[in-house]
Amino acid sequence: MFVKIPFNRPYMNGKELFNIAEAKFGNMLAGDGPFTKQCHGWLEKKTGSNKALLTHSCTAALEMSALLLEIQPGDEIIMPSYTFVSTANAFVLRGGVPVFVDIRPDTLNIDEHLIEAAITPKTRAIVPVHYAGVACEMDNIMEIARQQNLAVVEDAAQGVMSTYKGQALGSIGDLGCYSFHETKNVISGEGGALLINNSQFTERAEVIREKGTNRSRFFRGQVDKYTWQDLGSSFLPGELTAAFLSAQLDDAEKITAERLKIWNKYHVLLENLEFDEMLTRPHIPDDCQHNGHMYYIILNKNIDRDKVIQQLKLDKINTVFHYIPLHSSPAGLKFGRFIGNLKNTNELSNQLIRLPLWIGLTEEMQLRIVESLKSALKIARK
Ligand SMILES: *Cc1c(COP(=O)(O)O)cnc(C)c1O
């Protein structure tokens, strides 16, 4: 009877394909062509960062960060356990040890009050993850980092177009990492960017991204040949990806506004269920302007999450949960260690559901989702 409501549907405005045709007819298909430069300019202007470099993913931007910080075997990196694997994996590739701390129950971001207790003489960096595009308490985190002489790498994969006290997420720490993966707000299929806010890293970042060579300087005419200079890999996307992304960036304001509209509608529709203590809605601190990346709900402990997801599926509504906490995953146990009991991480990750949120999701569909959720919650009560 009802049409299926997918969890995600990537948004395109149509201009992506024109840009790709333009890149093709310009015979510029490798990376760092005109579209890449356009994207760099857009990112630098929008975020206020000193330097933006497109990468082929946020994972790649995180890996570049680990290389830039010269992470050595045994170096410790403080991060939440409640995050995507790449946050940790990028540092583990260099022999780093992720040190997982708990999250705050209100934003599901790293609990800034637990960071100092996790610091040892081996600690090198803090990696705050801005969950759902809502900022971590960056003032506290930057102050701890300054006092302890630690680097800060923001995993702002979900935070494009979000701000903390007016500053763009990703532009506050020494380095910031964005994702343009299909499941994010502004997309290019796979894609990402590294924001270099501490200019001490700029020159090496260009070298690391270009297979360890000074090719960028060569192209600018600053050297007459390019050679192998340092560690590196191929971290840059091709022009077709940048062409696609450029069309999306042009629309970033509109994409954000549309997503916030849907987010706000859910927030109003679900108010009564929070009142009835069936679930908790996301909390947005006063200092944070978010980007409508995600609408999640935290179910009350007496409700069986899997049953809710199953029940919604019977009504042809696709919802998902995440993350399996890294500290309890096979690789997390092998490569990392954790501080305290991670109570919030363990509990909240078991009670969270993400609702469909994509441009084109109608108000009618949202009403249907909320109605279906209401009956599912009753059925799933333990
Ligand atoms: C999506 C995501 C990543 C990875 O982004 P890719 O562009 O797919 O590599 C990393 N960290 C977080 C928090 C994410 O949500």
Side-chain angles (χ1 to χ4, degrees), residues 57-59 62 83-84 86-87 129 155 157-158 179-181 184 190-191 323:
S57 61
C58 179
T59 302
L62 288 160
T83 181
F84 187 63
S86 295
T87 317
V129 179
D155 182 338
Q158 303 173 13
S179 175
F180 303 116
H181 185 265
K184 303 301 198 288
E190 302 281 349
Y323 301 101

